[in-house]
Amino acid sequence: MTANNRIVLSSDHAAIALRQAIAAHIASLGWEVVDIGPTTPESTHYPKHGQAAARRVASGDCRLGIICCGTGQGIMMAANKVKGIRCGVCADTFSARMIRQHNNANMLSIGARVTGEGLALEIVEAFLSAEFEGGRHAMRVDMIEAVEEKPQAESV
Ligand code: RB5
C-alpha cells in the first residue's frame, strides 16, 4: 500500500535543525509528516537513522522519505542498502526533480552542512512535486532492482 500522503523524515545529529525545518514546511504544504527523529543533539549514527526511514518507505507505510546528515552522503548510503530503496543526494532542484522523473527515487537525501535551508526547502518541493515518467526509464529502474535479486549478474 503506497497510495498515501505520508513522508518519513529522519536525520543524524548534524541535521536536526534542517530536518525540523523540512518537516514544518512540508506539513504546511499538506503532507502528513512522520518524523522519526532524533530530537536531542547528542552525537548519533547515521546508518541506523537512514535505515529506519528506509524501512518505512520499503514497507509501504510511507510513500516517500527525506533524510539528512552532514553531507547527505552517509545516510543515503545506508538507506540504499534497504531493498526497494532508491535514494539520491541532491544539492540542486534539477537533480531533485530528475531523480523522481527518471530514477523513480523514493527517498531524497540532503546535506545540512552543504545546502542552506532556503535551497533545501526548494529541493524538497521539487522532489515532492515531480512524478516518475515511466516508459524507457521503467526498464532501467527494473535493472537496478534486478541487482538486488542477482548481485552477481553479468555486466555489459
Ligand atoms: C557526522 O559528523 C557526519 O559524519 C555525518 O553527519 C555525515 O556527514 C556522514 O555522511
Side-chain angles (χ1 to χ4, degrees), residues 16-76:
I16 291 174
L18 178 61
R19 190 195 79 234
Q20 291 175 337
I22 292 169
H25 186 66
I26 66 175
S28 78
L29 297 176
W31 296 93
E32 183 183 346
V33 175
V34 179
D35 187 344
I36 60 172
T39 53
T40 55
E42 298 83 37
S43 182
T44 181
H45 308 300
Y46 59 80
K48 67 179 184 183
H49 300 292
Q51 289 193 43
R55 292 190 199 290
R56 296 288 189 112
V57 175
S59 71
D61 177 47
C62 293
R63 182 172 167 193
L64 297 168
I66 301 171
I67 52 180
C68 311
C69 65
T71 59
Q73 301 290 350
I75 201 164
M76 173 274 290

Side-chain angles (χ1 to χ4, degrees), residues 88 90 95-105 107-108 127:
C90 293
S95 298
R97 190 168 73 247
M98 295 308 288
I99 64 169
R100 288 287 296 134
Q101 291 181 348
H102 285 194
N103 313 120
N104 201 13
M107 294 188 72
L108 166 69
F127 178 76

Side-chain angles (χ1 to χ4, degrees), residues 83 143-155:
K83 187 175 177 184
M143 291 169 73
I144 296 174
E145 291 189 348
V147 178
E148 293 176 334
E149 305 302 331
K150 214 174 166 188
Q152 302 305 317
E154 286 177 28
S155 61

